[in-house]
């Protein structure tokens, strides 16, 4: 099966993202060490690029509802050669904001391992490689957004993929980006994968897929998520 995405009102943008501060969120947390992977979940990217957030967050997320108004749908992104910095901090008493509220002034040290901005930030092809779909003829995503627990500023550079054509690949292929398993059109599409635990749920850091729609251009292979096809009115998408 083949679809011309532009005819469905969907545009595809490829870009690069570079943090302009230390990027921190808890990919894993153990023994007072909070570590940030150089991976961005597609849901977090979608909300960031669409510049949507909660004033008062609900008790439990509903991503299908939360992402529906978004003008963009982003795929997970990775920075393959990112560097990280460990920041040491002394725990504070929540009530007194002091470190000596206990029996003695004994430090309770914790650590944050953050993704650090690179000195080559001004170079065009550096940082997180990201792909995003735009709906309703929407133009490119913003050039600057915030993401992460502390609202790290991200600088994005975008280029539109001309006349993207999605075809269902019957032979195995490897996408140029991590894969959200909830984006797959079929339950048996993953031939092989390298899973990584990243909130809100698992991603395939590396994956080999088949019988999934894909757009190929230049040296990149981009998986077309089932939610994108459903929103474009393709009934066969799961």
């Amino acid at each position: 099966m083949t679809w011309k995405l532009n005819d469905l009102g969907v545009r595809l943008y490829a870009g690069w993202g570079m943090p302009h501060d230390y990027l921190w969120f808890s990919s894993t947390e153990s023994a007072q060490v909070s570590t940030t992977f150089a991976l961005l979940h597609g849901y977090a990217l979608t909300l960031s690029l669409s510049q949507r957030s909660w004033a008062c967050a609900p008790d439990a997320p509903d991503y299908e509802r939360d992402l529906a108004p978004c003008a963009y749908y982003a795929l997970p992104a990775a920075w393959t050669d990112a560097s990280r910095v460990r920041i040491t901090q002394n725990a504070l008493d929540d009530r007194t904001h002091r470190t000596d509220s206990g029996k003695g002034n004994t430090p309770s040290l914790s650590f944050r391992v953050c993704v650090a901005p690179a000195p080559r930030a001004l170079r065009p092809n550096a940082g997180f490689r990201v792909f995003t779909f735009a709906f309703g003829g929407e133009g490119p995503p913003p050039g600057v957004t915030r993401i992460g627990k502390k609202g790290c500023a991200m600088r994005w550079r975008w280029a539109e993929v001309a006349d993207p054509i999605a075809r269902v690949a019957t032979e195995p292929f490897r996408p140029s980006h991590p894969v959200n398993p909830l984006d797959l059109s079929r339950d048996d599409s993953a031939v092989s994968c390298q899973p990584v635990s990243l909130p809100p749920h698992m991603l395939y850091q590396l994956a080999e897929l088949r019988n999934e729609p894909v757009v190929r251009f230049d040296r990149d292979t981009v998986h077309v998520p089932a939610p994108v096809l459903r929103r474009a009115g393709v009934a066969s998408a799961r």
Side-chain angles (χ1 to χ4, degrees):
M1 300 181 69
T2 301
W3 301 277
K4 293 184 178 181
L5 295 184
N6 289 168
D7 292 347
L8 299 175
V10 179
R11 303 168 76 175
L12 173 59
Y13 293 92
W16 297 86
M18 177 64 67
H20 279 210
D21 200 346
Y22 295 118
L23 175 62
W24 172 63
F25 49 86
S26 290
S27 303
T28 62
E29 190 166 353
S30 177
Q32 293 185 287
V33 179
S34 173
T35 302
T36 304
F37 294 161
L39 289 171
L40 298 177
H41 202 288
Y43 293 167
L45 266 178
T46 297
L47 294 171
S48 175
L49 297 178
S50 301
Q51 297 184 321
R52 296 186 64 88
S53 184
W54 282 100
C56 297
D59 294 334
D62 184 342
Y63 290 105
E64 185 174 355
R65 178 197 62 196
D66 296 344
L67 301 181
C70 293
Y72 303 98
Y73 191 92
L75 297 172
W79 184 1
T80 55
D81 59 347
S83 59
R84 290 187 288 184
V85 172
R86 191 179 78 165
I87 299 174
T88 304
Q89 57 187 8
N90 194 357
L92 297 177
D93 187 288
D94 290 338
R95 294 183 177 180
T96 65
H97 289 186
R98 293 167 60 98
T99 60
D100 58 350
S101 299
K103 295 181 179 180
N105 188 10
T106 303
S108 177
L109 300 181
S110 60
F111 306 93
R112 293 179 181 176
V113 181
C114 308
V115 175
R120 60 182 182 277
L122 297 180
R123 289 169 53 184
N125 298 338
F128 290 94
R129 183 57 164 157
V130 61
F131 305 94
T132 185
F133 298 87
F135 303 102
E138 190 74 27
V144 178
T145 65
R146 293 187 177 274
I147 199 169
K149 281 193 172 182
K150 297 299 181 180
C152 173
M154 295 286 298
R155 179 68 173 92
W156 307 99
R157 293 178 173 86
W158 301 103
E160 184 175 3
V161 178
D163 300 320
I165 298 177
R167 295 183 174 89
V168 175
T170 56
E171 296 297 324
F173 67 92
R174 178 169 291 182
S176 303
H177 53 85
V179 174
N180 179 353
L182 297 183
D183 284 344
L184 299 180
S185 301
R186 299 164 56 96
D187 293 331
D188 58 352
S189 297
V191 178
S192 62
C193 64
Q194 178 182 325
V196 57
S197 179
L198 184 71
H201 60 76
M202 178 183 66
L203 294 179
Y204 297 155
Q205 186 171 2
L206 298 173
E208 190 175 22
L209 309 176
R210 66 182 173 192
N211 298 324
E212 286 287 329
V214 62
V215 174
R216 290 186 170 94
F217 64 96
D218 298 334
R219 298 182 179 180
D220 290 304
T221 302
V222 179
H223 172 246
V224 182
V228 171
L229 294 179
R230 285 200 303 269
R231 187 160 171 178
V234 178
S236 60
R238 186 177 68 174

